[in-house]
DNA sequence: TAATTTTGCTTGCATATTGCAAGTGCAAAT
DNA sequence: ATTTGCACTTGCAATATGCAAGCAAAATTA
């Protein structure tokens, strides 16, 4: 996925140009909910992203200002990927997808539980997680 | 995009298997906000979807229960595509994408105006449009 | 009534994207 | 000094996308 010229002025279309593929939101999910942050973390996710695709997605997400590279506190060999403000702001979208899923898919209980909490008070849930992410 | 077996039990991943591509949400946008309903309507959208891709997306959306074919009131030659309940329920996701876009993209004033209204009271906005769609 | 246009597709083919396996260079651990 | 871990890159096959042309049934026009 090269950083392509936008297809139209429609903000939905522009948004999909940024994260409208099968992998980007899963990487962002890993950053938000599973506290993953390194290349190998993402590689190990159960969906099994191919290594070259992961590299290209990370590059695109960085170019689009969704994530940022930073030094890993433990080792110079590691790179820590972190969500930018712009990336953290995608959380409400992901929450709505989860809530939609909850209506139409079955899923592991642990996730169902998280969604239940999110539904109870969306704004509170989003603010809570946003705060956590920013403090990292 | 064939109707592929799911990559994982993650509801986000499953959702992306349904609408996580560059075109599906644009078709749904057209159904929701532009009152489009026929094959040619979708073809004419400014993003310029290819005819074979449109056909494959409509088929997939139908197989996933997001849209339904119905008889067109004006003509037997025409087919009216309509959102199912499951499809209408995607509206909160699209609204959140719009709201995110509003923060990070510039866009036509008319759309900015719609988003402004959506932000004022999300629930009201969603309910209003849902009602309209169901009454069609 | 016959010819033309509209509608919703399908088909063929070139190009682009994805997926898989193997390899590379640097850092860190043994 | 050697092996392992990490973040990639490369090559190539498989799949998906984009573009142009074609096609059958219905609707319109002549």
């Amino acid at each position: 996925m090269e950083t392509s010229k936008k297809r139209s002025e429609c903000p939905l279309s522009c948004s999909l140009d940024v994260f409208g593929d099968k992998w980007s939101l899963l990487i962002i999910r890993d950053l938000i909910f599973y506290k993953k942050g390194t290349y190998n973390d993402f590689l190990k996710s159960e969906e099994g992203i191919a290594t070259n695709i992961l590299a290209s997605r990370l590059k695109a997400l960085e170019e689009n200002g969704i994530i940022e590279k930073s030094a890993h506190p433990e080792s110079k060999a590691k790179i820590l990927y972190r969500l930018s403000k712009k990336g953290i702001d995608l959380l409400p979208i992901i929450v709505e997808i989860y809530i939609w899923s909850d209506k139409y898919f079955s899923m592991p209980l642990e996730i169902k539980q998280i969604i239940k909490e999110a539904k109870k008070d969306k704004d509170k849930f989003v603010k809570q997680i946003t705060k956590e992410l920013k403090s990292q």
Side-chain angles (χ1 to χ4, degrees), chain A residues 16-40:
Chain A
L16 294 175
D17 288 339
V18 172
F19 58 79
D21 66 277
K22 291 228 180 287
W23 296 108
S24 295
L25 285 182
L26 296 183
I27 295 171
I28 294 163
R29 168 205 65 184
D30 286 350
L31 284 160
I32 294 178
F33 293 105
Y34 300 111
K35 309 300 175 210
K36 296 189 176 184
T38 68
Y39 193 92
N40 274 316

Side-chain angles (χ1 to χ4, degrees), chain A residues 34-119:
Chain A
Y34 300 111
K35 309 300 175 210
K36 296 189 176 184
T38 68
Y39 193 92
N40 274 316
D41 286 343
F42 303 129
L43 260 194
K44 279 178 217 141
S45 290
E46 67 173 328
E47 289 85 11
I49 189 170
T51 175
N52 55 339
I53 304 299
L54 175 57
S56 83
R57 284 307 105 92
L58 290 173
K59 186 166 175 252
L61 287 171
E62 202 191 352
E63 285 171 358
N64 284 306
I66 306 294
I67 61 173
E68 291 156 2
K69 285 184 185 182
S70 67
H72 196 286
E74 289 174 8
S75 150
K76 261 194 282 186
K78 291 185 184 177
I79 290 173
L80 233 199
Y81 288 95
R82 315 178 78 241
L83 282 166
S84 66
K85 176 67 165 42
K86 191 176 176 183
I88 293 172
D89 283 342
L90 292 170
L91 179 55
I93 297 169
I94 293 176
V95 166
E96 289 297 346
I97 297 175
Y98 273 124
I99 291 173
W100 182 81
S101 307
D102 189 49
K103 250 180 142 165
Y104 297 104
F105 296 127
S106 62
M107 65 188 72
L109 273 177
E110 33 166 338
I111 298 178
K112 227 174 159 45
Q113 195 53 43
I114 291 173
I115 297 177
K116 197 175 171 184
E117 229 191 292
K119 280 200 293 190

